RNA sequence: AGAGAGGUGGCCGAGUGGUCGAAGGCGCACGCCUGGAAAGUGUGUAUACGCUAACCGCGUAUCGAGGGUUCGAAUCCCUUCCUCUCUGCCA
């Protein structure tokens, strides 16, 4: 959520920046500023009435004491009148504030100046790539065929037990999953992130805090009986640890990591995209979350990018990094780097990590602030990134490491798997 | 899930209708004291919004949350959330 005061100060620059998203905020901005104006003037009037009313309340008992009952009754009447007006006004204040809030929810974050303009993923900027695309042997298979051939992932069984998008990992497949999770967590903690195990369900307030609610309600599984949501990413519970908090400057930076399954309804996704491990309703992910001072947040984003690079380098997967263009940038993000691994057998790039600087957009909803050494308070910046999401890493390993003898395991994982070949 | 108790400032804890944003203590910050420290001592120490150039000042709100009664609510009533104890159930 953008800050009204900043919109007022930077209106023109913001409008221009939002053009990169192909988002014309002209009308929304003027509506927001109008509502804010109204909110402030309503509060000013209300405050005056309440002040008057408080004053009367202080005078009334004095009059009773001095025996001026008539006068006291008069004031009582006056006070009652003020109360009627104050009720009206506070009702109006609530309404205007809610309207303002609603309009602010409709505004996406302001893209960083480095973000290129663009309409779709075709306009994303490749900023880095690394790794050799392997020459596969004759008859190389896509990962869903390999999974079947070596009996390590059973999609049919998942269909039977739950439904599409909930695969069952078996034997070495299950072990490889566990190895990846442990490897990723080890790398995160070595990089100074504190590991957390978070609840897999969150309440409504948390959903609102990180921005999944109220808009993207349909993307989360909702447990209606208890009004809880299955997390779509551990970003939600982890970031919400810091909801409604005022952190001291000396506590920064804050670096958190956590492994959780993630649950996504993926309503509206069809086609080849959902084949095999490409898109699932339940998948595993190790997430990085950082809370930073505003002046440090872009260095932190670079640091996260370096971290993910190292993971992919160690795993020996060919990848590229894209700076997302305005049109492809997430609603809440100021700048996002997507990592894509090349899936040799599918002959396409698969998104495997997304590292974003949300700047103050999320912090404003979360009420997550910093108290500076001099006592000044301001919103913190939040960042998050996957390090990494498992299914597509697995797909990449299966496809890129296949040989006629079987699937070789990247060297760095062997200590975690206890085997170096799936056959 | 049933019965009971309770939710007050960073923490502990007083306060059962009227100058209560809230006693007292602890903690913390700064000063004095000291060769230095401890002890002692003095002062200060919530957040949000609005007015404002202002993190000066003033106003308003906030004692889990929301609503109600009243001229006036931390205190009374209702709803709701949470915590604790006992009982039940259970990995």
């Amino acid at each position: 959520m953008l800050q009204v005061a900043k919109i007022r100060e930077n209106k023109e620059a913001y409008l221009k920046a939002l053009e990169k998203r192909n988002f014309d905020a002209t009308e929304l901005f003027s509506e927001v500023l109008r509502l804010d104006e109204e909110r402030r003037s309503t509060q000013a009037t209300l405050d005056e009435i309440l002040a008057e009313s408080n004053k009367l309340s202080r005078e009334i008992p004095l009059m009773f004491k001095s025996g001026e009952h008539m006068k006291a009754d008069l004031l009582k009447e006056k006070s009652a009148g003020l109360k009627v007006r104050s009720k009206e006004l506070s009702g109006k204040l609530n309404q205007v504030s809610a309207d303002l809030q609603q309009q602010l929810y409709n505004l996406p974050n302001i893209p960083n100046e480095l973000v290129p303009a663009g309409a779709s993923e075709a306009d994303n900027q490749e900023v880095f790539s690394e790794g050799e695309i392997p020459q596969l042997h004759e008859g190389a298979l896509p990962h869903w065929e390999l999974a079947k051939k070596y009996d390590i992932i059973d999609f049919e069984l998942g269909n039977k037990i739950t439904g599409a998008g909930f695969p069952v990992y078996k034997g070495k497949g299950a072990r490889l999953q566990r190895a990846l999770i442990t490897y990723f967590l080890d790398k995160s903690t070595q990089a100074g992130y504190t590991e957390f195990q978070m609840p897999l369900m969150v309440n409504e307030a948390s959903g609102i805090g990180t921005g999944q609610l109220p808009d993207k309600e349909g993307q989360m599984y909702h447990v209606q009986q208890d009004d809880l949501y299955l997390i779509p990413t551990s970003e939600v519970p982890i970031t919400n640890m810091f909801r409604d908090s005022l952190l001291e400057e000396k506590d920064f930076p804050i670096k958190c990591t956590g492994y959780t399954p993630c649950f996504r309804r993926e309503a509206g996704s069809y086609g080849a995209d959902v084949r095999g491990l490409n898109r699932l309703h339940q998948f595993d992910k190790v997430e990085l979350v950082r809370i930073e001072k505003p002046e440090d947040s872009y260095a932190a984003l670079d640091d996260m990018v370096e971290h993910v690079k190292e993971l992919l380098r160690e795993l020996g997967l060919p990848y590229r990094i894209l700076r997302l263009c305005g049109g492809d940038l997430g609603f809440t993000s100021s700048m996002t780097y997507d990592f894509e691994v090349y899936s040799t057998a599918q002959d396409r790039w698969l998104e495997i990590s997304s590292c974003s600087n949300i700047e103050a957009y999320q912090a404003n909803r979360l009420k997550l602030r910093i108290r500076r050494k001099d006592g000044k308070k301001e919103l913190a910046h939040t960042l998050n990134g996957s390090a990494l999401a498992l299914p597509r890493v697995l797909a990449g390993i299966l496809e890129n490491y296949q040989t006629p003898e079987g699937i070789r395991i990247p060297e760095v994982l062997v200590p975690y798997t206890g085997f170096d070949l799936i056959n």
Side-chain angles (χ1 to χ4, degrees):
Chain A
M1 187 165 73
L2 297 176
Q3 297 158 265
V4 179
K6 300 246 164 144
I7 295 177
R8 201 181 313 136
E9 287 163 27
N10 307 306
K11 190 173 166 189
E12 292 310 314
Y14 274 15
L15 280 174
K16 194 133 190 248
L18 285 172
E19 280 174 18
K20 291 196 287 192
R21 289 184 179 270
N22 311 305
F23 190 97
D24 181 5
T26 317
E27 281 181 30
L28 262 175
F29 274 9
S30 57
E31 179 66 0
V32 160
L33 294 179
R34 185 189 68 76
L35 284 168
D36 182 53
E37 194 76 22
E38 194 175 349
R39 188 194 112 250
R40 278 152 52 214
S41 73
T42 306
Q43 191 187 332
T45 317
L46 176 61
D47 282 358
E48 264 172 48
I49 290 170
L50 289 173
E52 173 74 15
S53 165
N54 285 342
K55 199 174 140 221
L56 292 180
S57 298
R58 266 174 264 130
E59 285 168 3
I60 288 168
L62 298 179
M63 297 192 168
F64 276 119
K65 261 182 207 162
S66 60
E68 299 172 273
H69 291 265
M70 295 281 283
K71 218 169 161 189
D73 285 338
L74 221 81
L75 290 189
K76 270 194 187 183
E77 224 169 279
K78 194 172 170 193
S79 178
L82 288 175
K83 189 172 186 185
V84 172
R85 279 197 65 202
S86 78
K87 261 195 177 161
E88 275 171 26
L89 278 169
S90 79
K92 184 180 171 195
L93 183 62
N94 287 339
Q95 186 57 51
V96 171
S97 302
D99 290 349
L100 176 60
Q101 183 92 343
Q102 195 52 53
Q103 296 301 338
L104 285 170
Y105 283 162
N106 292 331
L107 286 165
N109 202 353
I110 306 300
N112 180 279
E113 54 184 17
L114 285 176
V115 170
S120 72
E121 56 186 56
D123 299 312
N124 292 337
Q125 229 173 39
E126 181 171 329
V127 294
F128 187 81
S129 72
E130 192 176 12
E132 292 284 309
I133 293 172
Q135 288 292 319
L136 294 186
H137 60 277
E138 189 86 0
L141 299 169
H143 70 265
W144 52 87
E145 303 280 354
L146 294 165
K148 196 165 197 172
K149 180 175 172 188
Y150 296 110
D151 195 25
I152 50 173
I153 306 173
D154 196 327
F155 293 100
E156 301 301 318
L157 207 46
N159 285 347
K160 172 183 169 183
I161 297 164
T162 308
F166 294 90
V168 173
Y169 302 89
K170 299 166 71 172
K172 284 184 172 175
R175 180 64 187 260
L176 182 51
Q177 286 275 107
R178 182 152 59 89
L180 283 165
I181 292 163
T182 312
Y183 163 69
F184 291 147
L185 282 172
D186 282 356
K187 294 296 286 185
S188 301
T189 51
Q190 279 159 24
Y193 293 84
T194 303
E195 182 178 342
F196 289 88
Q197 269 196 22
M198 300 308 292
L200 304 183
M201 292 200 270
V202 295
N203 56 28
E204 187 185 21
S206 294
I208 290 171
T210 30
Q212 281 69 29
L213 296 174
D215 304 332
K216 289 170 228 154
E217 189 142 20
Q219 292 299 324
M220 286 193 291
Y221 289 98
H222 185 200
V223 180
Q224 299 204 349
Q225 193 166 9
D226 296 290
D227 197 19
L228 296 172
Y229 296 85
L230 268 69
I231 58 171
T233 158
S234 38
E235 171 202 339
V236 177
I238 293 176
T239 310
N240 270 285
M241 291 197 286
F242 304 96
R243 169 155 47 87
D244 291 318
S245 40
L246 181 53
L247 304 169
E248 301 298 328
E249 187 169 4
K250 64 177 165 54
D251 297 330
F252 286 79
I254 295 170
K255 300 165 72 178
C256 309
T257 188
Y259 153 71
T260 66
C262 302
F263 303 91
R264 298 186 182 180
R265 295 188 63 232
E266 300 291 1
S269 299
Y270 320 94
D273 242 26
V274 304
R275 200 78 199 272
L277 293 170
N278 289 352
R279 191 176 294 279
L280 299 172
H281 288 306
Q282 178 184 325
F283 64 95
D284 295 294
K285 181 156 63 73
V286 172
E287 183 79 359
L288 305 177
V289 170
R290 298 177 68 141
I291 317 292
E292 295 281 346
K293 295 190 264 183
E295 66 271 26
D296 297 335
S297 68
Y298 278 94
L301 181 61
D302 289 344
D303 188 56
M304 286 170 74
V305 166
E306 287 306 314
H307 181 83
V308 175
K309 271 186 185 175
E310 188 179 317
L311 297 177
L312 292 169
R313 195 178 293 137
E314 285 194 0
L315 289 171
L317 293 171
Y319 69 96
R320 63 179 186 182
I321 302 176
L322 305 175
R323 178 150 53 215
L324 296 191
C325 72
D328 208 21
L329 193 63
F331 198 76
T332 63
S333 177
S334 279
M335 182 142 89
T336 296
Y337 291 105
D338 267 10
F339 285 70
E340 296 185 336
V341 160
Y342 193 71
S343 157
T344 311
Q346 293 183 71
D347 191 26
R348 58 188 286 217
W349 293 93
L350 295 177
E351 183 194 330
I352 209 167
S353 173
S354 192
C355 296
S356 302
N357 188 353
I358 313 296
E359 294 195 10
Y361 190 88
Q362 211 167 40
N364 194 28
R365 275 202 190 189
L366 290 164
K367 297 195 186 71
L368 165 50
R369 288 154 304 148
I370 307 176
R371 196 207 315 264
R372 298 287 192 174
K373 287 190 189 101
D374 62 8
K376 283 186 192 170
K377 290 169 282 264
E378 66 180 306
L379 293 172
H381 281 191
T382 61
L383 300 93
N384 61 73
S386 14
L388 290 167
L390 282 260
R392 295 179 191 160
V393 172
L394 191 57
I397 290 173
L398 296 181
E399 295 182 4
N400 290 322
Y401 278 88
Q402 60 182 306
T403 68
E405 294 74 44
I407 294 154
R408 295 214 320 275
I409 300 297
E411 213 173 301
V412 69
L413 290 178
V414 174
Y416 292 97
T417 54
F419 54 82
D420 59 6
L421 187 73
I422 295 174
N423 57 8

